[in-house]
mmCIF file of all heavy atoms in Angstrom:
data_model
loop_
_atom_site.group_PDB
_atom_site.id
_atom_site.type_symbol
_atom_site.label_atom_id
_atom_site.label_comp_id
_atom_site.label_asym_id
_atom_site.label_seq_id
_atom_site.Cartn_x
_atom_site.Cartn_y
_atom_site.Cartn_z
ATOM 1 N N LEU A 1 7.513 5.002 -4.313
ATOM 2 C CA LEU A 1 7.774 4.613 -5.666
ATOM 3 C C LEU A 1 6.568 5.185 -6.484
ATOM 4 O O LEU A 1 5.420 4.836 -6.176
ATOM 5 C CB LEU A 1 7.796 3.094 -5.822
ATOM 6 C CG LEU A 1 8.955 2.454 -5.112
ATOM 7 C CD1 LEU A 1 8.663 0.975 -4.826
ATOM 8 C CD2 LEU A 1 10.192 2.548 -5.949
ATOM 9 N N MET A 2 6.904 6.018 -7.433
ATOM 10 C CA MET A 2 5.823 6.685 -8.234
ATOM 11 C C MET A 2 5.955 6.193 -9.673
ATOM 12 O O MET A 2 7.009 6.351 -10.310
ATOM 13 C CB MET A 2 5.990 8.207 -8.104
ATOM 14 C CG MET A 2 5.765 8.671 -6.667
ATOM 15 S SD MET A 2 6.147 10.354 -6.390
ATOM 16 C CE MET A 2 7.946 10.327 -6.423
ATOM 17 N N PHE A 3 4.853 5.671 -10.184
ATOM 18 C CA PHE A 3 4.785 5.184 -11.556
ATOM 19 C C PHE A 3 3.821 6.128 -12.336
ATOM 20 O O PHE A 3 2.695 6.339 -11.943
ATOM 21 C CB PHE A 3 4.223 3.743 -11.581
ATOM 22 C CG PHE A 3 5.077 2.793 -10.759
ATOM 23 C CD1 PHE A 3 4.785 2.539 -9.449
ATOM 24 C CD2 PHE A 3 6.214 2.188 -11.330
ATOM 25 C CE1 PHE A 3 5.570 1.675 -8.683
ATOM 26 C CE2 PHE A 3 6.979 1.326 -10.576
ATOM 27 C CZ PHE A 3 6.665 1.066 -9.283
ATOM 28 N N THR A 4 4.353 6.652 -13.460
ATOM 29 C CA THR A 4 3.505 7.493 -14.285
ATOM 30 C C THR A 4 2.533 6.594 -15.111
ATOM 31 O O THR A 4 2.684 5.385 -15.109
ATOM 32 C CB THR A 4 4.349 8.277 -15.307
ATOM 33 O OG1 THR A 4 4.962 7.381 -16.233
ATOM 34 C CG2 THR A 4 5.365 9.144 -14.625
ATOM 35 N N ALA A 5 1.592 7.231 -15.805
ATOM 36 C CA ALA A 5 0.674 6.472 -16.649
ATOM 37 C C ALA A 5 1.424 5.689 -17.719
ATOM 38 O O ALA A 5 0.949 4.662 -18.183
ATOM 39 C CB ALA A 5 -0.340 7.440 -17.280
ATOM 40 N N ALA A 6 2.560 6.201 -18.134
ATOM 41 C CA ALA A 6 3.375 5.569 -19.202
ATOM 42 C C ALA A 6 4.515 4.720 -18.656
ATOM 43 O O ALA A 6 5.436 4.369 -19.405
ATOM 44 C CB ALA A 6 3.853 6.614 -20.167
ATOM 45 N N ALA A 7 4.497 4.346 -17.388
ATOM 46 C CA ALA A 7 5.599 3.576 -16.775
ATOM 47 C C ALA A 7 5.781 2.208 -17.375
ATOM 48 O O ALA A 7 6.930 1.722 -17.379
ATOM 49 C CB ALA A 7 5.412 3.486 -15.283
ATOM 50 N N PHE A 8 4.726 1.635 -17.849
ATOM 51 C CA PHE A 8 4.809 0.281 -18.422
ATOM 52 C C PHE A 8 4.342 0.337 -19.889
ATOM 53 O O PHE A 8 3.538 1.176 -20.264
ATOM 54 C CB PHE A 8 3.945 -0.690 -17.631
ATOM 55 C CG PHE A 8 4.365 -0.787 -16.186
ATOM 56 C CD1 PHE A 8 3.793 0.010 -15.240
ATOM 57 C CD2 PHE A 8 5.398 -1.631 -15.831
ATOM 58 C CE1 PHE A 8 4.185 -0.078 -13.885
ATOM 59 C CE2 PHE A 8 5.816 -1.722 -14.482
ATOM 60 C CZ PHE A 8 5.224 -0.960 -13.526
ATOM 61 N N SER A 9 4.828 -0.577 -20.730
ATOM 62 C CA SER A 9 4.607 -0.464 -22.165
ATOM 63 C C SER A 9 3.136 -0.638 -22.571
ATOM 64 O O SER A 9 2.727 0.002 -23.509
ATOM 65 C CB SER A 9 5.499 -1.478 -22.905
ATOM 66 O OG SER A 9 5.242 -2.771 -22.439
ATOM 67 N N ASP A 10 2.410 -1.507 -21.974
ATOM 68 C CA ASP A 10 1.013 -1.767 -22.371
ATOM 69 C C ASP A 10 0.028 -1.206 -21.387
ATOM 70 O O ASP A 10 -0.024 -1.598 -20.229
ATOM 71 C CB ASP A 10 0.784 -3.296 -22.546
ATOM 72 C CG ASP A 10 1.587 -3.885 -23.633
ATOM 73 O OD1 ASP A 10 1.756 -3.170 -24.677
ATOM 74 O OD2 ASP A 10 2.058 -5.016 -23.520
ATOM 75 N N SER A 11 -0.786 -0.253 -21.850
ATOM 76 C CA SER A 11 -1.796 0.337 -21.006
ATOM 77 C C SER A 11 -2.961 -0.641 -20.778
ATOM 78 O O SER A 11 -3.336 -1.359 -21.702
ATOM 79 C CB SER A 11 -2.329 1.620 -21.632
ATOM 80 O OG SER A 11 -3.255 2.224 -20.798
ATOM 81 N N GLY A 12 -3.504 -0.710 -19.571
ATOM 82 C CA GLY A 12 -4.631 -1.596 -19.308
ATOM 83 C C GLY A 12 -4.232 -2.970 -18.818
ATOM 84 O O GLY A 12 -5.095 -3.753 -18.511
ATOM 85 N N GLN A 13 -2.954 -3.292 -18.802
ATOM 86 C CA GLN A 13 -2.498 -4.585 -18.332
ATOM 87 C C GLN A 13 -2.399 -4.554 -16.837
ATOM 88 O O GLN A 13 -2.254 -3.515 -16.188
ATOM 89 C CB GLN A 13 -1.096 -4.856 -18.915
ATOM 90 C CG GLN A 13 -1.059 -4.987 -20.399
ATOM 91 C CD GLN A 13 -1.688 -6.295 -20.884
ATOM 92 O OE1 GLN A 13 -1.603 -7.341 -20.241
ATOM 93 N NE2 GLN A 13 -2.432 -6.192 -21.998
ATOM 94 N N THR A 14 -2.454 -5.701 -16.215
ATOM 95 C CA THR A 14 -2.263 -5.843 -14.782
ATOM 96 C C THR A 14 -0.797 -6.048 -14.517
ATOM 97 O O THR A 14 -0.156 -6.892 -15.169
ATOM 98 C CB THR A 14 -3.063 -6.993 -14.191
ATOM 99 O OG1 THR A 14 -4.458 -6.718 -14.436
ATOM 100 C CG2 THR A 14 -2.836 -7.156 -12.720
ATOM 101 N N VAL A 15 -0.198 -5.302 -13.564
ATOM 102 C CA VAL A 15 1.215 -5.430 -13.244
ATOM 103 C C VAL A 15 1.318 -5.669 -11.721
ATOM 104 O O VAL A 15 0.530 -5.121 -10.944
ATOM 105 C CB VAL A 15 1.979 -4.177 -13.643
ATOM 106 C CG1 VAL A 15 1.492 -2.925 -12.899
ATOM 107 C CG2 VAL A 15 3.511 -4.372 -13.410
ATOM 108 N N ARG A 16 2.214 -6.537 -11.383
ATOM 109 C CA ARG A 16 2.510 -6.780 -9.965
ATOM 110 C C ARG A 16 3.880 -6.173 -9.633
ATOM 111 O O ARG A 16 4.868 -6.436 -10.351
ATOM 112 C CB ARG A 16 2.538 -8.242 -9.634
ATOM 113 C CG ARG A 16 2.862 -8.554 -8.205
ATOM 114 C CD ARG A 16 2.859 -10.028 -7.912
ATOM 115 N NE ARG A 16 3.505 -10.244 -6.616
ATOM 116 C CZ ARG A 16 3.068 -11.098 -5.754
ATOM 117 N NH1 ARG A 16 2.041 -11.838 -5.974
ATOM 118 N NH2 ARG A 16 3.740 -11.272 -4.620
ATOM 119 N N VAL A 17 3.948 -5.374 -8.590
ATOM 120 C CA VAL A 17 5.201 -4.744 -8.148
ATOM 121 C C VAL A 17 5.529 -5.294 -6.749
ATOM 122 O O VAL A 17 4.698 -5.175 -5.864
ATOM 123 C CB VAL A 17 5.074 -3.214 -8.123
ATOM 124 C CG1 VAL A 17 6.332 -2.579 -7.608
ATOM 125 C CG2 VAL A 17 4.716 -2.664 -9.522
ATOM 126 N N ASP A 18 6.704 -5.867 -6.581
ATOM 127 C CA ASP A 18 7.158 -6.388 -5.295
ATOM 128 C C ASP A 18 8.340 -5.569 -4.853
ATOM 129 O O ASP A 18 9.255 -5.293 -5.637
ATOM 130 C CB ASP A 18 7.627 -7.866 -5.404
ATOM 131 C CG ASP A 18 6.470 -8.794 -5.783
ATOM 132 O OD1 ASP A 18 5.406 -8.649 -5.203
ATOM 133 O OD2 ASP A 18 6.672 -9.657 -6.693
ATOM 134 N N VAL A 19 8.260 -5.126 -3.589
ATOM 135 C CA VAL A 19 9.301 -4.300 -3.016
ATOM 136 C C VAL A 19 9.788 -4.922 -1.707
ATOM 137 O O VAL A 19 9.006 -5.278 -0.812
ATOM 138 C CB VAL A 19 8.776 -2.834 -2.724
ATOM 139 C CG1 VAL A 19 9.951 -1.970 -2.205
ATOM 140 C CG2 VAL A 19 8.106 -2.271 -3.903
ATOM 141 N N HIS A 20 11.113 -5.143 -1.633
ATOM 142 C CA HIS A 20 11.720 -5.739 -0.437
ATOM 143 C C HIS A 20 12.805 -4.829 0.050
ATOM 144 O O HIS A 20 13.909 -4.730 -0.480
ATOM 145 C CB HIS A 20 12.379 -7.112 -0.859
ATOM 146 C CG HIS A 20 11.377 -8.047 -1.475
ATOM 147 N ND1 HIS A 20 10.447 -8.752 -0.812
ATOM 148 C CD2 HIS A 20 11.265 -8.367 -2.782
ATOM 149 C CE1 HIS A 20 9.731 -9.489 -1.603
ATOM 150 N NE2 HIS A 20 10.215 -9.264 -2.831
ATOM 151 N N PRO A 21 12.483 -4.033 1.162
ATOM 152 C CA PRO A 21 13.510 -3.154 1.759
ATOM 153 C C PRO A 21 14.675 -4.004 2.267
ATOM 154 O O PRO A 21 14.514 -5.128 2.691
ATOM 155 C CB PRO A 21 12.738 -2.505 2.868
ATOM 156 C CG PRO A 21 11.317 -2.618 2.501
ATOM 157 C CD PRO A 21 11.184 -3.915 1.764
ATOM 158 N N ARG A 22 15.846 -3.380 2.206
ATOM 159 C CA ARG A 22 17.071 -4.028 2.688
ATOM 160 C C ARG A 22 17.274 -3.706 4.175
ATOM 161 O O ARG A 22 17.379 -2.519 4.522
ATOM 162 C CB ARG A 22 18.281 -3.604 1.855
ATOM 163 C CG ARG A 22 18.161 -4.179 0.469
ATOM 164 C CD ARG A 22 19.372 -3.795 -0.342
ATOM 165 N NE ARG A 22 19.340 -4.682 -1.523
ATOM 166 C CZ ARG A 22 20.396 -5.343 -1.983
ATOM 167 N NH1 ARG A 22 21.541 -5.209 -1.377
ATOM 168 N NH2 ARG A 22 20.293 -6.060 -3.029
ATOM 169 N N PRO A 23 17.346 -4.694 5.034
ATOM 170 C CA PRO A 23 17.432 -4.424 6.495
ATOM 171 C C PRO A 23 18.619 -3.561 6.854
ATOM 172 O O PRO A 23 19.762 -3.802 6.383
ATOM 173 C CB PRO A 23 17.562 -5.825 7.097
ATOM 174 C CG PRO A 23 17.022 -6.753 6.067
ATOM 175 C CD PRO A 23 17.318 -6.135 4.732
ATOM 176 N N GLY A 24 18.404 -2.532 7.650
ATOM 177 C CA GLY A 24 19.462 -1.702 8.180
ATOM 178 C C GLY A 24 19.996 -0.661 7.206
ATOM 179 O O GLY A 24 20.868 0.111 7.526
ATOM 180 N N LEU A 25 19.451 -0.633 5.971
ATOM 181 C CA LEU A 25 19.958 0.288 4.959
ATOM 182 C C LEU A 25 18.819 1.079 4.307
ATOM 183 O O LEU A 25 17.645 0.616 4.292
ATOM 184 C CB LEU A 25 20.621 -0.493 3.798
ATOM 185 C CG LEU A 25 21.823 -1.362 4.180
ATOM 186 C CD1 LEU A 25 22.259 -2.159 2.966
ATOM 187 C CD2 LEU A 25 22.973 -0.556 4.754
ATOM 188 N N TYR A 26 19.129 2.246 3.790
ATOM 189 C CA TYR A 26 18.194 2.902 2.901
ATOM 190 C C TYR A 26 18.377 2.297 1.524
ATOM 191 O O TYR A 26 19.222 2.728 0.753
ATOM 192 C CB TYR A 26 18.411 4.409 2.920
ATOM 193 C CG TYR A 26 17.702 5.087 4.041
ATOM 194 C CD1 TYR A 26 18.332 5.334 5.250
ATOM 195 C CD2 TYR A 26 16.336 5.385 3.939
ATOM 196 C CE1 TYR A 26 17.675 5.917 6.301
ATOM 197 C CE2 TYR A 26 15.653 5.921 5.041
ATOM 198 C CZ TYR A 26 16.345 6.187 6.188
ATOM 199 O OH TYR A 26 15.667 6.750 7.212
ATOM 200 N N GLY A 27 17.647 1.212 1.292
ATOM 201 C CA GLY A 27 17.766 0.528 0.033
ATOM 202 C C GLY A 27 16.628 -0.460 -0.073
ATOM 203 O O GLY A 27 15.983 -0.817 0.895
ATOM 204 N N LEU A 28 16.405 -0.910 -1.332
ATOM 205 C CA LEU A 28 15.348 -1.893 -1.565
ATOM 206 C C LEU A 28 15.586 -2.597 -2.860
ATOM 207 O O LEU A 28 16.352 -2.186 -3.710
ATOM 208 C CB LEU A 28 13.969 -1.194 -1.598
ATOM 209 C CG LEU A 28 13.746 -0.044 -2.573
ATOM 210 C CD1 LEU A 28 13.411 -0.479 -3.969
ATOM 211 C CD2 LEU A 28 12.614 0.836 -2.086
ATOM 212 N N ASP A 29 14.915 -3.803 -2.961
ATOM 213 C CA ASP A 29 14.918 -4.554 -4.159
ATOM 214 C C ASP A 29 13.544 -4.452 -4.790
ATOM 215 O O ASP A 29 12.515 -4.656 -4.094
ATOM 216 C CB ASP A 29 15.252 -6.042 -3.858
ATOM 217 C CG ASP A 29 16.624 -6.224 -3.276
ATOM 218 O OD1 ASP A 29 17.546 -5.518 -3.702
ATOM 219 O OD2 ASP A 29 16.796 -7.071 -2.398
ATOM 220 N N LEU A 30 13.477 -4.201 -6.072
ATOM 221 C CA LEU A 30 12.226 -3.920 -6.805
ATOM 222 C C LEU A 30 12.106 -4.946 -7.941
ATOM 223 O O LEU A 30 13.021 -5.042 -8.740
ATOM 224 C CB LEU A 30 12.223 -2.501 -7.361
ATOM 225 C CG LEU A 30 11.142 -2.140 -8.278
ATOM 226 C CD1 LEU A 30 9.793 -2.063 -7.555
ATOM 227 C CD2 LEU A 30 11.439 -0.781 -8.966
#
C-alpha cells in the first residue's frame, strides 16, 4: 500500500492505517 505525500487532506496530521487480509484470498480490508 503506497501513500503519496498528498494521500490525506491535512499535512502533518497523524493517521492510523489498519489492514486486514482476507483469509484464502488475494484481498484485504483497509
Side-chain angles (χ1 to χ4, degrees):
L1 295 159
M2 297 171 287
F3 302 93
T4 66
F8 300 95
S9 56
D10 294 324
S11 184
Q13 298 287 323
T14 299
V15 62
R16 179 181 166 139
V17 177
D18 296 314
V19 185
H20 305 284
R22 293 184 164 226
L25 302 174
Y26 275 95
L28 56 82
D29 298 322
L30 171 70

